[in-house]
């Protein structure tokens, strides 16, 4: 179908009148296709869900709805994602071309960043994110269905890499040999992590910097991208914040020698995060915050490298070695973090 005809078909499911609207691509997500839609009814985020990644989009939308209702009831003081249902009342549109679409109300007067810009910003982020988790602390785990099984599981991800190497589907393994070796050196730490028995909590699972909306004063207005909210280990959430907020370069940077942990940012983030979580995290969790950071960074490096070896089937790319570069970037960040924690 031609682009406009197709968009009109999608929009007709959401609005009676589609004679006048503006639409443009939006954001920097690596999974879905995201659009900013301006319509007389308001501003919206229209998204085509990647259903190869999220194999059950209905579950994703149901989770989001339940989390939103819960946060509203608890009087969570920040913005809550609000779904615009289709005209016939559905949270999700399954199109005649087997695509899955959804629409959210746009949160106006906000901005997002791909790299933190100030100590205040990272402190606030730690605190606000801690607050988000605090408000979800009593969310009944059985109300939510994991949208991606084994999403944060470094051993499982390492196994996926091990499986991809002998297949060598697109003949790229030789280009990744240094990174494969560096990753395999982490096997003992990953094995140790597996032996630790952390509590299962409701977590966000993708709290990277560009999943936070800020106002013009750098205050967090909303935690967005709730697709992966699921039962899990809170240390991955803390780790992902550090991975993306306390770094000197964003995850797309290819100036690998510049990719480092900013110690002051890291400390500020941790102070903010603990302000909201210290009272209710277990000692085991608090003792392993740093290991959580190591685990999420190594896991992210593994995921990018595996996708490079498999031929870029998971993450969006714009050039052929991008996933390899992303893995290199994450490994540089990991080594910088290790230097900090061992000094
Ligand atoms: C993906 O779609 P986006 O950019 O929010 C990924 C995260 C990764 C991230 C790396 C469902 O998130 O796990 O950390 O890319 N989400 C999924 O930037 O795989
Ligand atoms: Mg995401």
């Amino acid at each position: 179908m031609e682009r406009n005809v197709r968009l009109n078909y999608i929009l007709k499911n959401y609005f009676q009148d589609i004679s006048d609207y503006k639409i443009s691509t939006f954001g920097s997500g690596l999974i879905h296709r995201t659009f900013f839609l301006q319509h007389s009814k308001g501003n919206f985020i229209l998204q085509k869900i990647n259903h190869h990644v999220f194999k059950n989009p209905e579950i994703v939308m149901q989770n989001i709805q339940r989390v939103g209702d819960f946060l509203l009831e608890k009087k969570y003081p920040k913005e809550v994602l609000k779904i615009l249902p289709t005209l016939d009342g559905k949270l999700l549109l399954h199109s005649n071309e087997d695509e899955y679409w959804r629409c959210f109300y746009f949160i106006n007067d906000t901005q997002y960043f791909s790299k933190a810009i100030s100590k205040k910003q990272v402190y606030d982020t730690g605190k606000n994110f801690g607050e988000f988790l605090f408000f979800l602390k009593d969310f009944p785990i059985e109300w939510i269905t994991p949208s991606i099984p084994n999403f944060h599981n470094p051993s499982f991800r390492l196994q996926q890499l091990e499986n991809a190497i002998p297949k060598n589907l697109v003949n790229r393994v030789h280009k990744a040999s240094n990174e494969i070796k560096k990753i395999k050196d982490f096997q003992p730490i990953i094995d140790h992590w597996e032996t630790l028995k952390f509590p299962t909590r409701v977590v966000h699972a993708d709290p990277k910097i560009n999943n936070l909306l800020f106002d013009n004063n750098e205050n967090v207005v909303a935690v967005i991208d709730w697709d992966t909210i699921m039962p899990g280990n809170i240390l991955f959430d803390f780790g992902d914040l550090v991975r993306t907020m306390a770094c000197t370069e964003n995850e797309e940077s290819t100036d690998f020698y510049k990719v480092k942990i900013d110690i002051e940012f890291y400390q500020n983030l941790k102070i903010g995060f603990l302000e909201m979580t210290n009272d209710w995290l277990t000692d085991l969790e608090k003792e392993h915050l740093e290991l959580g950071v190591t685990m999420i960074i190594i896991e992210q490096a593994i995921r990018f490298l595996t996708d490079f070896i498999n031929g870029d089937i998971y993450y969006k790319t714009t050039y052929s070695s991008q996933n390899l570069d992303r893995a290199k970037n994450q490994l540089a960040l990991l080594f910088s973090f290790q230097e900090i924690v061992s000094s």
Side-chain angles (χ1 to χ4, degrees), residues 25-82:
T25 54
F26 188 79
S28 56
L30 298 181
I31 306 290
H32 305 307
R33 287 191 57 201
T34 306
F35 302 90
F36 176 54
L37 172 71
Q38 290 168 284
H39 183 272
S40 59
K41 295 263 179 221
N43 295 336
F44 301 91
I45 287 292
L46 181 71
Q47 260 181 336
K48 185 177 124 189
I49 298 184
N50 180 331
H51 66 278
H52 304 289
V53 169
F54 292 95
K55 299 207 163 35
N56 194 337
E58 270 94 7
I59 292 266
V60 175
M61 299 313 286
Q62 192 185 72
N63 288 344
I64 292 174
Q65 176 89 329
R66 289 184 177 172
V67 168
D69 288 349
F70 184 86
L71 289 174
L72 286 174
E73 200 191 301
K74 292 273 169 191
K75 308 224 176 321
Y76 172 61
K78 305 285 150 50
E79 294 284 342
V80 166
L81 293 192
K82 198 169 155 214

Side-chain angles (χ1 to χ4, degrees), residues 28-31 53-54 148 151 206 208 211 225 228 240 243 251 300 303-304 314-315:
S28 56
L30 298 181
I31 306 290
V53 169
F54 292 95
I148 304 180
F151 188 55
D206 192 16
K208 56 184 202 177
N211 282 336
D225 188 356
T228 51
D240 236 354
R243 180 179 82 78
E251 77 185 359
Q300 193 62 64
R303 292 175 65 196
F304 284 142
Y314 190 94
Y315 290 113

Side-chain angles (χ1 to χ4, degrees), residues 209-256:
I209 184 169
N210 46 10
N211 282 336
L212 297 161
L213 298 182
F214 296 84
D215 67 14
N216 292 333
N217 300 317
E218 295 169 36
N219 299 312
V220 176
V221 173
V223 170
I224 59 166
D225 188 356
W226 296 359
D227 295 344
T228 51
I229 293 186
M230 62 173 88
N233 183 337
I234 203 165
L235 297 185
F236 289 121
D237 273 3
F238 175 70
D240 236 354
L241 286 173
V242 175
R243 180 179 82 78
T244 59
M245 297 240 32
C247 53
T248 52
E249 294 283 304
N250 72 33
E251 77 185 359
E252 298 294 345
S253 168
T254 52
D255 288 333
F256 307 122

